[in-house]
Amino acid sequence: MPESTERGALTEAVYYILLALHSPMHGYGIMQYVKELSNDRVNLGPGTLYGAINTLIEKGWIKALSTPENSRKKEYEITLKGRETLLLEIERLEELLAHGNKIARRDA
Amino acid sequence: MKYRTFKFFVDFEKEEKWLNQMAAKGYNFIDFSLPGRYLFETGNPGEYIYRIELLKHLPNSPESKDYIEFLEDTGGELVSSHFRWAWFRRKSADGPFHLFTDYSSQIKHYQRIIWFIGIVGIINLVIGFYNLCYGLLLTGPDYGFFFNAYLAPISFLIAFFCLKVTTSYYFNLKKLQKESQIHE
């Protein structure tokens, strides 16, 4: 089943983390960015965020940046593979949105 | 000023609620030790929000240290730990504080806890039966020595509470799993 799970929908948390990491950020930065972007709707808990970051690193969608010695906080950034995945997801969401508008909203 | 009290919890959600009620009154939890000693420090009412987690690994393992460091970088603080249980807090000025904010991570946390408390319950059940049999049969009335049998109810009581909580968590878990099938 790995093929089909790769193509499945991303969770909201993963989607927003990938968006946030278009510029390098540490954990707290991601939380704040996602919170602002979603107008306070999406609050990532540290346990959830930590788990998601580790899974995304394993998948190679984001990478940890080598940290300067004076900074303890790890920073992360999206990879090429992560960008590709995100673009595929946006296409999928556009399809959902188009169908929703056409059928449920009865747009012309 | 410090305040010390003894309390016995099996249900971590009830414990969490109690710690937050104490914090709302200005008693900030700072340390736990067995068999149920809670140490508080007086401070500003409502300054902190407390959360309890059963970690995947022992607190001083590299995996948990990395996680705790991450959590502290996001404004949280490890207050106390015991075995794999960890007590965290964050200033309530920083907004709502939940460790797990999606179904999949909440489900995983519940699963860890169900295993943990379930096993503690089963171990106590086994010890209870052992003591009961040993006390009643092996030492027997001839010896006039029922000591082990007297110990058995303690284990049975612990087992009862553990299995009761495990069952209620199990139903919560099923509810979460059902929810997660239709939305995030």
Side-chain angles (χ1 to χ4, degrees):
Chain A
M1 285 263 299
E3 248 336 89
S4 62
T5 51
E6 283 290 317
R7 279 181 206 156
L10 301 182
T11 66
E12 198 170 68
V14 165
Y15 185 84
Y16 269 134
I17 291 167
L18 290 178
L19 280 185
L21 291 180
H22 274 66
S23 46
M25 265 180 214
H26 48 71
Y28 186 68
I30 299 173
M31 278 179 176
Q32 294 299 312
Y33 183 88
V34 171
K35 199 177 157 187
E36 270 173 42
L37 199 62
S38 68
N39 284 322
D40 262 11
R41 192 178 59 82
V42 183
N43 275 300
L44 295 172
T48 300
L49 180 59
Y50 183 80
I53 285 176
N54 284 330
T55 311
L56 293 177
I57 289 175
E58 260 171 50
K59 281 191 165 290
W61 294 1
I62 64 169
K63 59 174 192 276
L65 299 175
S66 49
T67 42
E69 277 193 21
N70 53 1
S71 149
R72 196 177 71 129
K73 293 181 186 179
K74 245 189 241 164
E75 284 199 322
Y76 310 91
E77 194 177 24
I78 193 166
T79 62
L80 197 61
K81 201 175 166 196
R83 284 172 199 267
E84 284 166 4
T85 312
L86 191 61
L87 288 173
L88 280 177
E89 174 67 356
I90 294 169
E91 258 174 48
R92 196 189 64 87
L93 291 171
E94 274 171 346
E95 181 203 302
L96 294 184
L97 202 59
H99 286 148
N101 281 332
K102 203 168 121 194
I103 299 167
R105 282 190 177 154
R106 295 181 185 281
D107 284 0
Chain B
M1 227 186 64
K2 296 212 166 132
Y3 169 72
R4 197 180 63 161
T5 189
F6 284 86
K7 225 163 153 84
F8 184 71
F9 284 101
V10 180
D11 188 331
F12 85 101
E13 284 170 329
K14 283 190 183 146
E15 180 184 351
E16 204 175 74
K17 206 173 158 195
W18 176 66
L19 291 177
N20 283 315
Q21 282 167 351
M22 292 296 282
K25 284 187 252 174
Y27 290 96
N28 298 325
F29 167 68
I30 48 170
D31 190 47
F32 171 86
S33 60
L34 279 178
R37 191 214 58 169
Y38 290 82
L39 195 63
F40 295 87
E41 203 173 47
T42 47
N44 298 329
E47 193 179 349
Y48 291 104
I49 302 169
Y50 283 86
R51 295 290 168 217
I52 301 170
E53 179 175 350
L54 180 64
L55 300 171
K56 274 186 214 149
H57 309 274
L58 288 170
N60 50 8
S61 68
E63 291 92 342
S64 286
K65 272 190 180 159
D66 191 59
Y67 172 59
I68 292 162
E69 202 173 278
F70 179 89
L71 197 136
E72 295 196 328
D73 286 344
T74 63
E77 182 188 344
L78 175 73
V79 178
S80 184
S81 67
H82 194 86
F83 189 56
R84 272 164 53 207
W85 291 99
W87 288 260
F88 293 109
R89 73 178 178 190
R90 200 170 77 180
K91 297 236 173 188
S92 40
D94 293 344
F97 179 44
H98 295 284
L99 296 170
F100 302 108
T101 47
D102 66 5
Y103 285 129
S104 80
S105 55
Q106 283 164 1
I107 286 170
K108 278 186 206 144
H109 190 221
Y110 262 120
Q111 283 169 335
R112 281 209 291 280
I113 290 172
I114 287 172
W115 274 103
F116 183 87
I117 301 180
I119 286 171
V120 172
I122 289 167
I123 289 172
N124 272 286
L125 206 61
V126 171
I127 293 172
F129 274 118
Y130 173 81
N131 277 327
L132 189 69
C133 297
Y134 190 78
L136 289 180
L137 301 173
L138 297 179
T139 45
D142 296 344
Y143 300 88
F145 185 69
F146 289 106
F147 187 68
N148 288 68
Y150 291 133
L151 281 177
I154 301 171
S155 305
F156 284 139
L157 200 68
I158 296 172
F160 170 77
F161 282 115
C162 287
L163 297 174
K164 189 178 148 220
V165 166
T166 308
T167 316
S168 83
Y169 285 168
Y170 180 76
F171 285 114
N172 287 352
L173 175 71
K174 287 288 136 191
K175 226 185 275 171
L176 282 177
Q177 283 173 335
K178 211 171 180 179
E179 277 297 304
S180 73
Q181 283 180 349
I182 46 168
H183 51 67
E184 268 189 63

